[in-house]
Amino acid sequence: MSQAKRFAFTTIDPSLGDTSFRPMLSVRLARRDQSVVADGLLDSGSMVNVMPYRLGLALGASWEQQQVVVHLAGNLANLEARALLVSATVEPFAPVLQAFAWTKSTDVPLILGQVNFFQAFDVCFFRSELAFEIRSKQVAQ
Amino acid sequence: MSLAELLPKLQELNRSDKWHTVHFLIAELSQEEGIPFAHGATYPIWSPYDSYEAAATLMKVLHEEGPSYESG
């Protein structure tokens, strides 16, 4: 078990005051020789990781080649999604393999959910301090 | 009407009307608590919190393709 790393909540829209804070986490996603840095929403209520279409394309993924269909629920139920495995790095932790429901939507945010971000990391929210802490379950190499 | 009387009626609603009810209640609560959402606007709830099938599919992909991904 690693040491915890503390991050600050992100202000999405300052005009919204106290309701504008989100637990956004910068994560480097990599697949084969492509990589991209994106801000993911830490969503412990989401059962899965969700990736918007543009990010999958930026990682060199081909929709036609990702043949495992993922059936999402709720507001995302009408969106096509495919399973996509990528390496994810949250500094200062070691990279971890993450499975995403890669959607055709460009509106959906990058969501870090239970399968399998919260399986790889323990996350503790301190909303009153506008901060959260992350601890990797993997021991750094 | 009490909550005990209302809940069975809510259960009879179809999926679409249940979502409309959720949105209506969120708008009502937001207004009561002074959260500055625009009246009548629609705000998407992205979180796929009931995606059991999706979670099982991703776990299966991780188990089947994860080892070769990490070694390749």
Side-chain angles (χ1 to χ4, degrees):
Chain A
M1 189 70 81
S2 67
Q3 289 227 322
K5 165 80 173 175
R6 194 173 180 91
F7 299 88
F9 275 53
T10 300
T11 307
I12 301 300
D13 180 355
S15 69
L16 295 176
D18 194 49
T19 62
S20 75
F21 297 103
R22 303 283 185 279
M24 305 296 293
L25 181 66
S26 180
V27 55
R28 175 175 292 279
L29 304 172
R31 182 179 174 275
R32 297 175 183 164
D33 57 347
Q34 307 278 340
S35 75
V36 62
V37 175
D39 290 333
L41 175 66
L42 282 172
D43 186 352
S44 61
S46 171
M47 291 201 65
V48 294
N49 295 329
V50 180
M51 181 185 289
Y53 191 59
R54 60 181 167 75
L55 272 184
L57 293 181
L59 289 166
S62 159
W63 186 261
E64 290 71 26
Q65 287 177 3
Q66 305 307 313
Q67 296 187 343
V68 178
V69 176
V70 180
H71 297 287
L72 295 169
N75 271 25
L76 301 177
N78 59 343
L79 297 178
E80 280 186 71
R82 304 279 169 90
L84 185 65
L85 293 184
V86 304
S87 170
T89 305
V90 178
E91 294 293 344
F93 306 114
V96 291
L97 186 63
Q98 292 286 291
F100 282 85
W102 179 32
T103 72
K104 273 276 186 171
S105 168
T106 54
D107 295 329
V108 64
L110 179 70
I111 295 173
L112 304 172
Q114 293 291 338
V115 176
N116 61 327
F117 186 85
F118 282 79
Q119 292 176 339
F121 295 95
D122 284 329
V123 183
C124 202
F125 296 98
F126 302 91
R127 180 58 171 77
S128 64
E129 300 171 22
L130 295 177
F132 58 90
E133 288 183 356
I134 291 185
R135 192 187 303 268
S136 174
K137 295 175 187 173
Q138 263 187 16
V139 176
Q141 300 295 310
Chain B
M1 180 180 287
S2 69
L3 182 61
E5 292 170 314
L6 185 59
L7 288 179
K9 294 195 179 297
L10 289 174
Q11 282 181 316
E12 291 172 11
L13 294 176
N14 63 33
R15 178 185 176 83
S16 172
D17 285 344
K18 282 176 179 168
W19 276 113
H20 283 137
T21 306
V22 168
H23 292 155
F24 169 77
L25 290 173
I26 289 172
E28 285 286 300
L29 286 168
S30 300
Q31 201 167 5
E32 287 172 16
E33 296 180 14
I35 297 171
F37 290 112
H39 181 68
T42 300
Y43 296 90
I45 302 169
W46 293 116
S47 185
Y49 48 80
D50 277 339
S51 297
Y52 299 100
E53 186 181 341
T57 301
L58 292 187
M59 287 302 294
K60 188 165 182 280
V61 171
L62 274 168
H63 285 128
E64 290 179 355
E65 300 180 21
S68 62
Y69 185 98
E70 291 186 304
S71 62

